[in-house]
Amino acid sequence: MSTYIRVLLIALLASFFRFLMHSCSWNLLLLLRVFLLQTVQQEILQSDIQSKADKSPVTVADYGSQVLVSLALNMEVTSGSFSMVAEEDSEDLRKDSAEEILEHITDLVNETLAEDGSYNITLSKEGILSAIDTGKSEGGPSGRHWVLDPIDGTKGFLRGGQYAIALALLDEGKVVLGVLGCPNLPLASISNLNGSSSGDQMGALFSATVGCGAEVESLEGSPPQKISVCTIDNPVNASFFESYEGAHTMHDLTGSIAEKLGVQAPPVRIDSQAKYGALARGDGAIYLRFPHKGYKEKIWDHAAGAIVVTEAGGVVTDASGNDLDFSKGRFLDVDTGIIATNKQLMPSLLKSVQEAIKEKSQAPSPL
């Protein structure tokens, strides 16, 4: 396992410096996280899970992943100021009731660092908390900001289903590169509705640099292959991705959109930005995300996935057809929902989306 981690770290550093030299080869960027996440997913305990204020779960793996990414980037990004916009903060971990989970995170991180050996460092509990809080940047339209979701799709992670480790870089408000590590996604195309494909090699790493296209490779570092969205232009032949969790999207609305569009296949429901990766390589034709009223989209849930899709030739917009704007801080200012597809289907998809939204707004309240 130590050799595996070391290969990943070497690939990270090589990729980072290639980017600084304006190369169009943004390769592996999974950092040290894979070891910790695969270990925790197999052995996670109820005591390793907390509930955040919005009732969403957060685990030792979310926190540990963020610590390791923060540490590696801080050690390697030596020019200019360092800024990272990440999902987690240390507030809940600083409570007396969180002493056990904080100790577990500290042990896991230090065991990972010791086994890898790339950094001669041991973190105290306070060091762990400080590393997590490195991700508290507000982002914005100026400068460079790393954008991290340490585990996108925590509920999928807990179920043993799909999750993604998503890292992107904002430069002057624009996403210029993104990487999606999807440990439970088949390297080949998804062949059934739960997002898996028996017998295939598991683990896909998607990457994209602005203006240079998108690629996929195995987590073990197979030669990267260029990918592109599907070329389907008839909605009858299309399939669409949406969130597994009903709490994350309005399945009734997405069903109405699909019906109006003429999609005949049932939805493919999987967790996380793995949907963006699957769409980018042509596993499906459409991605629909329509959260319930009042939900605010976070930039870390879309930055890496959006550039992977757009560099693969796709289009990602809000429900009105506006490009996603990542320059507003930690949240996206989007109209109603987010949609992604190829350029051929986008006009008819937008029309169906707007018709379905209008009908839903005019429907009588069930109360």
Side-chain angles (χ1 to χ4, degrees):
M1 183 66 73
S2 180
T3 299
Y4 179 51
I5 300 169
R6 193 151 33 249
V7 168
L8 293 175
L9 185 58
I10 290 170
L12 157 68
L13 300 181
S15 299
F16 176 73
F17 289 117
R18 279 198 296 271
F19 170 73
L20 291 183
M21 294 169 66
H22 307 289
S23 166
C24 285
S25 176
W26 179 250
N27 207 351
L28 256 176
L29 187 48
L30 201 55
L31 303 171
L32 298 169
R33 295 167 286 171
V34 174
F35 169 67
L36 180 136
L37 295 180
Q38 290 176 335
T39 301
V40 172
Q41 191 177 38
Q42 294 171 1
E43 301 177 359
I44 196 147
L45 304 172
Q46 189 60 41
S47 59
D48 294 331
I49 307 169
Q50 291 184 320
S51 290
K52 294 190 281 191
D54 63 0
K55 307 302 182 184
S56 61
V58 58
T59 70
V60 294
D62 294 85
Y63 289 125
S65 174
Q66 187 158 313
V67 170
L68 291 169
V69 176
S70 171
L71 174 66
L73 290 177
N74 263 298
M75 296 286 282
E76 306 303 335
V77 179
T78 57
S79 60
S81 60
F82 178 81
S83 173
M84 186 168 74
V85 183
E87 180 172 13
E88 310 305 342
D89 63 54
S90 71
E91 181 178 357
D92 289 336
L93 288 178
R94 293 181 183 275
K95 298 175 181 177
D96 292 341
S97 59
E99 180 65 25
E100 181 179 353
I101 191 172
L102 176 58
E103 185 170 348
H104 194 183
I105 295 164
T106 305
D107 289 344
L108 280 169
V109 167
N110 284 325
E111 287 169 9
T112 303
L113 291 170
E115 184 165 355
D116 172 65
S118 298
Y119 301 120
N120 185 21
I121 186 172
T122 299
L123 295 180
S124 65
K125 291 178 183 177
E126 185 57 40
I128 292 289
L129 297 172
S130 296
I132 292 170
D133 284 339
T134 303
K136 294 176 73 171
S137 169
E138 291 298 317
S142 302
R144 282 184 172 177
H145 310 279
W146 294 96
V147 180
L148 171 69
D149 194 331
I151 298 184
D152 182 39
T154 301
K155 289 184 177 180
F157 174 80
L158 291 172
R159 285 197 310 272
Q162 295 301 328
Y163 66 98
I165 304 99
L167 183 63
L169 180 62
L170 288 182
D171 190 7
E172 303 300 316
K174 302 292 185 182
V175 184
V176 295
L177 61 90
V179 178
L180 291 175
C182 304
N184 287 348
L185 194 70
L187 184 59
S189 174
I190 294 174
S191 63
N192 60 45
L193 300 185
N194 66 8
S196 65
S197 181
S198 60
D200 285 332
Q201 181 178 359
M202 301 301 291
L205 185 69
F206 300 91
S207 56
T209 305
V210 64
C212 300
E215 298 176 333
V216 68
E217 59 192 279
S218 73
L219 294 185
E220 285 75 19
S222 63
Q225 302 292 322
K226 285 285 187 179
I227 56 174
S228 61
V229 295
C230 73
T231 57
I232 290 173
D233 59 7
N234 185 345
V236 172
N237 301 321
S239 60
F240 74 96
F241 296 105
E242 66 178 353
S243 297
Y244 182 94
E245 297 284 340
H248 294 168
T249 196
M250 293 184 283
H251 287 158
D252 58 339
L253 178 58
T254 57
S256 175
I257 293 167
E259 182 179 359
K260 290 181 181 301
L261 191 59
V263 173
Q264 296 185 354
V268 180
R269 292 175 176 168
I270 60 177
D271 300 282
S272 81
Q273 290 180 70
K275 294 185 285 293
Y276 277 119
L279 182 74
R281 69 180 180 191
D283 292 5
I286 299 166
Y287 169 33
L288 302 174
R289 179 180 172 94
F290 288 87
H292 295 274
K293 186 176 181 179
Y295 182 82
K296 295 178 68 176
E297 294 282 9
K298 291 89 170 177
I299 64 172
W300 53 78
D301 285 327
H302 300 282
I307 190 172
V308 168
V309 168
T310 56
E311 286 298 317
V315 186
V316 184
T317 74
D318 69 11
S320 293
N322 303 308
D323 293 338
L324 303 186
D325 185 351
F326 293 93
S327 70
K328 303 295 186 181
R330 296 174 69 86
F331 298 96
L332 288 171
D333 182 15
V334 298
D335 181 3
T336 308
I338 293 174
I339 59 178
T341 188
N342 60 32
K343 295 175 182 177
Q344 299 94 312
L345 287 174
M346 183 55 85
S348 55
L349 176 57
L350 273 172
K351 182 175 182 291
S352 297
V353 164
Q354 290 160 10
E355 288 176 356
I357 291 173
K358 183 177 180 180
E359 283 187 8
K360 184 174 178 64
S361 68
Q362 294 175 344
S365 171
L367 301 179

